[in-house]
Amino acid sequence: KLANPDSFDKDRARIQALLFRAAANYTLYVRSGEKQQATLTQVQNDIRAIKKMNSGFSPYIAAFSPRFLALFKQTV
């Protein structure tokens, strides 16, 4: 919550804030036993917002789990 994407004035910074928020929330979703659908929905909404700002954006593969990267890729 501290890295609120709306608090940044440049798209690049907003994208990074959204990405880290999505990854953190995805971790919470996985740790919940994948039972918190609202958390997954927030993750997907953040990914969609990233892709809306930059349709060609791709997370650095060494920094994120393969499962998160797969979710990122398949979220439209």
Side-chain angles (χ1 to χ4, degrees):
K1 290 184 180 183
L2 293 176
N4 180 353
D6 296 331
S7 66
F8 297 98
D9 60 349
K10 297 192 185 282
D11 280 352
R12 186 173 182 166
R14 282 190 193 118
I15 287 171
Q16 292 302 315
L18 285 163
L19 179 63
F20 289 116
R21 184 171 74 181
N25 280 332
Y26 184 71
T27 299
L28 293 174
Y29 169 72
V30 170
R31 288 188 177 180
S32 77
E34 300 182 6
K35 295 179 182 175
Q36 296 177 347
Q37 186 60 39
T39 303
L40 179 60
T41 299
Q42 179 61 54
V43 171
Q44 292 167 322
N45 288 341
D46 285 347
I47 292 170
R48 287 183 191 103
I50 291 167
K51 290 181 175 185
K52 185 176 181 181
M53 282 187 274
N54 181 344
S55 62
F57 180 84
S58 179
Y60 182 58
I61 61 171
F64 299 95
S65 74
R67 290 180 64 197
F68 177 77
L69 294 171
L71 177 65
F72 189 95
K73 184 175 183 177
Q74 64 188 230
T75 300
V76 290

